[in-house]
Amino acid sequence: MNGKFAIAQGKLDALITLGGQGKLPTVRALAASWSMSPRTVQLAITDAVQRGQLVARQGSGIWRQGCAPAASSPRTRMDAARLADAITTGIQTGKFTTDRPLPSPKDFAKLHDVHPATVRKALATLVAQRTVERSGRAWKVSLPHSGKPARSPVLWCIGASDSEGNLRMDTDREWDFWREIQGEAIRNGMEPRLVPWSGALPGLDGVLGAVVSTWHMNDSTALLDSLLRTRLPATVWVANHENLPGQRYRHVNTMWFHDLAFGKESGHTMARHVAKLGHRKIAWISPFHASEWSRNRLAGLQEELPADIALFTANHEWVSEWDLQKDIYKDPQVLGRIDLAEVDHGGATEAIALPLVETITRERALEILGPRLDAALAFKATLWVAASDLTARWCLHWLRGRGIRTPQDLLLAGFDDSREASRLGLTSLRFDVQSMARAMLHQILSSRRQHRNLTRYAGHVVTRSSTSPSPRH
């Protein structure tokens, strides 16, 4: 053995002296090349490591001293307990719904790089916790039991009140939200009940919890404080920065907050999408940049775009279209100057007032924003990202007035995935209302009170004809 060991040492010393790329062949490869036992070669390598000539890095190989790559942090092993927690988080954030099977153990195994047996152990743990249930060869999210009487428990759906005392729903996103909430409530055996906020809550008989939208509320403190006094579990869709959970609700274990479109996440998602299109110059268009959501979307876009993509910003400091519309509504001469004599309105001028105001709003906005849009053209941006679908529609109108075609001459994308975006073929970012609805209902129905206080959703881009997959420079 000593003779063979000495020969192996000599060959190894010669190999180290030759230099090269720094990494040595494997033990088996060296043993085959030198016609030796792998054990003898391994002993020679161990001796060289002890003498400081070599470095053996687990998972990386054998390296000459000074040539080994920097050691990476050991990856936390995904065992059954950690996997069970990961699946639970997916259920709590709305990734998995109660009416569809969970991914199979093989799919979970591929996703988390574990053995299917580990997945089955994790699922068995969740079955014991009554978080999921076995259904034949599949598993699905358990329908939580409320412990209430046999009749369906009531879910309050609380939001701002409109002029007629109904729940206010002005935008496509609000319609989608309340439709998903009501559908998810019914799937979970609950009775959704619309509650327009008028300063007081109705009676608590049969009520299990509440879903709240703070849209159109300048101050939601009175509503949230009223809910805290009921001790009901409540989930809140926050509409602006002032409604985000602060010190007042930080340690409340019966109230959770959700941000669908306020943070930077949607900007990150849009940036990853447009980066794939191959454009080197992009323009960001926002007439509402005094709003926090516009600034956050732009910040997310800037953070995620590759450094070789130039970004031009065309902003104006309005908060919303109401900054213009309030002056139109307050000016009685605005509509009075429009000749309606030949318009067949049957005396119902109020029915056509809104589209007229929207048209005047668009023209006033484009008149003010026009110089910045001209600058975006001069910048030669080949793709415009509008801060909202409304902004994208205004841009589309402005571009057509100048004979610029979309997508032949210029690509255009927006945010919100409104009905108008679908009708006009506008590429837009759709916010994940379904996942938020599932997460909200799960938080109300679950007996576990360890959810995150604020959950954010990024959404995904719906590609339509206003963008092209072909690279443009």
Side-chain angles (χ1 to χ4, degrees), residues 412-430:
L412 180 64
F415 292 79
D416 296 328
D417 193 32
S418 63
R419 283 174 287 185
E420 285 297 294
S422 179
R423 183 179 69 84
L424 296 172
L426 287 170
T427 292
S428 185
L429 188 140
R430 177 182 298 169

Side-chain angles (χ1 to χ4, degrees), residues 143-159:
L143 181 66
H145 299 285
S146 65
K148 294 286 181 180
R151 69 171 186 169
S152 298
V154 172
L155 174 72
W156 278 343
C157 301
I158 307 175

Side-chain angles (χ1 to χ4, degrees), residues 273 277 425-429 460-469:
H273 174 75
L277 299 179
L426 287 170
T427 292
S428 185
L429 188 140
H460 62 277
V461 176
V462 179
T463 303
R464 298 190 178 95
S465 59
S466 68
T467 59
S468 169

Side-chain angles (χ1 to χ4, degrees), residues 138-247:
W139 287 261
K140 64 181 182 179
V141 180
S142 296
L143 181 66
H145 299 285
S146 65
K148 294 286 181 180
R151 69 171 186 169
S152 298
V154 172
L155 174 72
W156 278 343
C157 301
I158 307 175
S161 175
D162 63 16
S163 59
E164 298 179 355
N166 299 316
L167 199 65
R168 185 173 175 180
M169 305 180 197
D170 289 354
T171 64
D172 290 347
R173 198 184 309 158
E174 291 172 274
W175 280 102
D176 288 344
F177 171 72
W178 287 121
R179 183 178 63 242
E180 291 295 334
I181 286 294
Q182 293 176 72
E184 191 68 20
I186 292 169
R187 283 192 291 271
N188 283 275
M190 305 178 71
E191 176 194 338
R193 186 173 299 172
L194 303 185
V195 181
W197 173 244
S198 59
L201 294 172
L204 295 174
D205 183 37
V207 179
L208 179 61
V211 172
V212 177
S213 167
T214 62
W215 277 59
H216 314 294
M217 295 184 186
N218 293 328
D219 186 356
S220 60
T221 303
L223 168 58
L224 299 185
D225 284 352
S226 296
L227 283 170
L228 286 179
R229 288 192 290 271
T230 68
R231 299 180 182 273
L232 290 172
T235 56
V236 184
W237 179 19
V238 294
N240 54 56
H241 183 73
E242 288 74 20
N243 295 128
L244 285 171
Q247 290 294 338

Side-chain angles (χ1 to χ4, degrees), residues 86-116:
I87 296 173
T88 300
T89 298
I91 294 171
Q92 293 172 352
T93 56
K95 185 176 181 180
F96 308 118
T97 183
T98 52
D99 60 346
R100 292 182 182 178
L102 291 168
S104 68
K106 287 185 178 180
D107 290 337
F108 269 132
K110 291 179 181 178
L111 181 64
H112 295 281
D113 192 22
V114 296
H115 195 277

Side-chain angles (χ1 to χ4, degrees), residues 122-446:
L123 292 172
T125 299
L126 295 177
V127 169
Q129 296 173 353
R130 297 186 178 180
T131 302
V132 304
E133 59 187 43
R134 186 75 181 261
S135 178
R137 294 185 177 182
W139 287 261
K140 64 181 182 179
V141 180
S142 296
L143 181 66
H145 299 285
S146 65
K148 294 286 181 180
R151 69 171 186 169
S152 298
V154 172
L155 174 72
W156 278 343
C157 301
I158 307 175
S161 175
D162 63 16
S163 59
E164 298 179 355
N166 299 316
L167 199 65
R168 185 173 175 180
M169 305 180 197
D170 289 354
T171 64
D172 290 347
R173 198 184 309 158
E174 291 172 274
W175 280 102
D176 288 344
F177 171 72
W178 287 121
R179 183 178 63 242
E180 291 295 334
I181 286 294
Q182 293 176 72
E184 191 68 20
I186 292 169
R187 283 192 291 271
N188 283 275
M190 305 178 71
E191 176 194 338
R193 186 173 299 172
L194 303 185
V195 181
W197 173 244
S198 59
L201 294 172
L204 295 174
D205 183 37
V207 179
L208 179 61
V211 172
V212 177
S213 167
T214 62
W215 277 59
H216 314 294
M217 295 184 186
N218 293 328
D219 186 356
S220 60
T221 303
L223 168 58
L224 299 185
D225 284 352
S226 296
L227 283 170
L228 286 179
R229 288 192 290 271
T230 68
R231 299 180 182 273
L232 290 172
T235 56
V236 184
W237 179 19
V238 294
N240 54 56
H241 183 73
E242 288 74 20
N243 295 128
L244 285 171
Q247 290 294 338
R248 189 179 187 90
Y249 308 107
R250 187 177 300 278
H251 301 295
V252 175
N253 66 353
T254 58
M255 188 173 290
W256 304 276
F257 295 83
H258 296 257
D259 169 27
L260 185 67
F262 178 78
K264 297 180 182 180
E265 290 78 9
S266 59
H268 293 158
T269 302
M270 180 62 76
R272 289 192 290 270
H273 174 75
V274 300
K276 298 176 183 177
L277 299 179
H279 294 252
R280 301 274 71 84
K281 289 187 175 182
I282 297 173
W284 163 264
I285 315 294
S286 177
F288 310 122
H289 212 56
S291 64
E292 195 75 12
W293 56 264
S294 174
R295 295 196 295 272
N296 280 341
R297 289 176 190 179
L298 174 59
L301 195 71
Q302 291 171 324
E303 290 175 0
E304 196 74 18
L305 280 177
D308 61 339
I309 295 180
L311 180 66
F312 177 86
T313 57
N315 295 325
H316 192 75
E317 298 304 311
W318 291 312
V319 174
S320 71
E321 63 269 28
W322 180 244
D323 286 350
L324 294 98
Q325 288 179 351
K326 63 184 178 182
D327 295 329
I328 298 172
Y329 278 110
K330 289 178 181 178
D331 185 353
Q333 297 182 1
V334 171
L335 296 180
R337 285 196 297 266
I338 300 176
D339 185 4
L340 301 178
E342 298 182 2
V343 178
D344 184 15
H345 53 74
T349 55
E350 291 295 325
I352 61 173
L354 181 59
L356 287 174
V357 169
E358 290 178 345
T359 300
I360 296 170
T361 300
R362 181 192 66 197
E363 296 308 312
R364 285 190 174 183
L366 290 176
E367 181 181 355
I368 295 171
L369 193 62
R372 295 296 294 162
L373 300 182
D374 282 324
L377 288 180
F379 179 72
K380 296 184 179 181
T382 55
L383 186 151
W384 285 12
V385 178
S388 65
D389 282 347
L390 175 63
T391 304
R393 285 161 46 200
W394 289 357
C395 290
L396 193 62
H397 178 81
W398 187 87
L399 291 167
R400 286 174 177 171
R402 282 152 181 76
I404 300 172
R405 302 167 301 168
T406 300
Q408 293 89 342
D409 305 318
L410 182 70
L411 274 60
L412 180 64
F415 292 79
D416 296 328
D417 193 32
S418 63
R419 283 174 287 185
E420 285 297 294
S422 179
R423 183 179 69 84
L424 296 172
L426 287 170
T427 292
S428 185
L429 188 140
R430 177 182 298 169
F431 294 100
D432 198 354
V433 177
Q434 290 181 334
S435 288
M436 186 170 73
R438 289 195 293 266
M440 285 180 154
L441 265 294
H442 181 86
Q443 287 172 335
I444 289 173
L445 290 167
S446 176

